[in-house]
């Protein structure tokens, strides 16, 4: 029988840090992701997401999240891709860490976004999972720039960026949920990256790189 990994190679990928395991979300992970999001991510009225996907009736949250995960897979090609990685601490699903790129072969640039359930916040997990995808992007995919952004009031996200060596990269206005917000862009390079004192363990890179980049892993 054909294995699912041979059909969708990124499912082979696993990133392991000292405390966390990150891997692309499969369908059987979606219920855990929905439960984690439903348990709470942010304070009421302070939505940190460019698309306020948490601001929906509870009955719609699961279907909306599933649509997003399926959309990311369906739209991923070497020209434009998004990897949505589930994040686990031991056997507990904590949240998601996304890494995405457009025209990566030319631009060598990735963008990232993430969320953590409230019960996991304030324990350094956000920094650890962002460091994991930066390490993977720079050392394994050959990226030259990692970009991210956050609302100017989102001190936690901007604090993670600052601690990893991201530089401020301009301010813009965005409409988020129909409200105007000031958004701070940030940018990280290999030279400025404050690398963690631990080693990232990677499995399944070669099939993932062939799928995402359209070339054999270097």
């Amino acid at each position: 029988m054909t294995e699912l990994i041979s059909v969708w190679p990124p499912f082979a990928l696993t990133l392991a840090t000292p405390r966390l395991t990150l891997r692309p979300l499969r369908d059987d992970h979606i219920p855990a992701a929905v439960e984690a999001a439903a348990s709470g991510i942010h304070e009421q009225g302070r939505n940190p997401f460019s698309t306020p996907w948490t601001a929906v009736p509870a009955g719609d949250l699961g279907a909306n999240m599933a649509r997003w995960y399926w959309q990311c897979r369906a739209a991923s090609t070497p020209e434009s891709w998004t990897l949505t990685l589930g994040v686990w601490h031991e056997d507990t699903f904590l949240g998601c860490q996304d890494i995405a790129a457009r025209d990566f072969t030319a631009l060598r640039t990735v963008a990232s976004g993430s969320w953590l359930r409230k019960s996991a916040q304030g324990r350094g997990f956000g920094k650890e999972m962002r460091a994991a995808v930066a390490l993977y992007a720079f050392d394994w995919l050959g990226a030259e720039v990692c970009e991210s952004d956050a609302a100017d009031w989102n001190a936690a996200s901007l604090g993670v960026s600052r601690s990893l060596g991201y530089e401020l990269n301009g301010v813009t206005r965005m409409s988020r949920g129909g409200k105007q917000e000031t958004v701070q862009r940030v940018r990280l390079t290999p030279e400025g990256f404050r690398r963690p004192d631990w080693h990232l363990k990677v499995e399944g890179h070669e099939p993932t790189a062939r799928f995402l980049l359209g070339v054999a892993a270097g």
Side-chain angles (χ1 to χ4, degrees):
M1 179 181 292
T2 301
E3 296 287 336
L4 184 58
I5 287 174
S6 68
V7 176
W8 198 257
F11 282 147
L13 184 66
T14 299
L15 309 181
T17 74
R19 297 187 295 168
L20 303 176
T21 301
L22 293 78
R23 60 172 69 97
L25 277 180
R26 297 183 181 228
D27 284 0
D28 58 352
H29 300 147
I30 293 176
V34 175
E35 184 277 328
S39 74
I41 299 173
H42 56 81
E43 298 300 325
Q44 192 73 21
R46 278 281 175 150
N47 200 309
F49 305 115
S50 56
T51 300
W53 56 273
T54 54
V56 297
D60 295 338
L61 180 64
N64 283 355
M65 291 175 69
R67 288 188 190 99
W68 169 248
Y69 301 142
W70 293 332
Q71 177 183 323
C72 289
R73 288 186 214 150
S76 287
T77 66
E79 292 74 36
S80 176
W81 49 265
T82 299
L83 276 183
T84 299
L85 305 173
V87 181
W88 285 263
H89 171 56
E90 297 174 347
D91 294 326
T92 301
F93 188 95
L94 301 187
C96 287
Q97 174 71 63
D98 295 351
I99 179 172
R102 307 291 180 268
D103 297 321
F104 181 82
T105 301
L107 301 178
R108 294 289 169 179
T109 299
V110 299
S112 69
S114 63
W115 62 267
L116 273 174
R117 63 194 308 158
K118 271 190 178 181
S119 61
Q121 294 173 18
R123 300 167 61 186
F125 291 135
K127 179 178 179 179
E128 195 165 324
M129 59 203 239
R130 184 109 69 93
V133 293
L135 286 166
Y136 184 62
F138 289 144
D139 297 348
W140 296 80
L141 294 175
E144 297 173 359
V145 177
C146 288
E147 295 180 335
S148 191
D149 63 49
D152 63 351
W153 53 261
N154 194 342
S157 177
L158 293 172
V160 168
S161 297
R162 185 167 52 251
S163 69
L164 290 173
Y166 283 77
E167 298 177 344
L168 301 182
N169 193 34
V171 173
T172 189
R173 285 180 171 182
M174 290 186 179
S175 175
R176 294 187 166 186
K179 293 174 56 180
Q180 181 193 115
E181 285 201 335
T182 301
V183 175
Q184 176 67 62
R185 292 172 171 155
V186 293
R187 182 177 187 269
L188 182 67
T189 63
E191 296 76 21
F193 184 24
R194 294 174 186 160
R195 290 174 171 267
D197 58 3
W198 43 262
H199 175 71
L200 181 69
K201 298 178 182 177
V202 179
E203 296 180 2
H205 169 64
E206 291 191 4
T208 301
R210 283 194 297 269
F211 183 86
L212 295 181
L213 310 182
V215 297

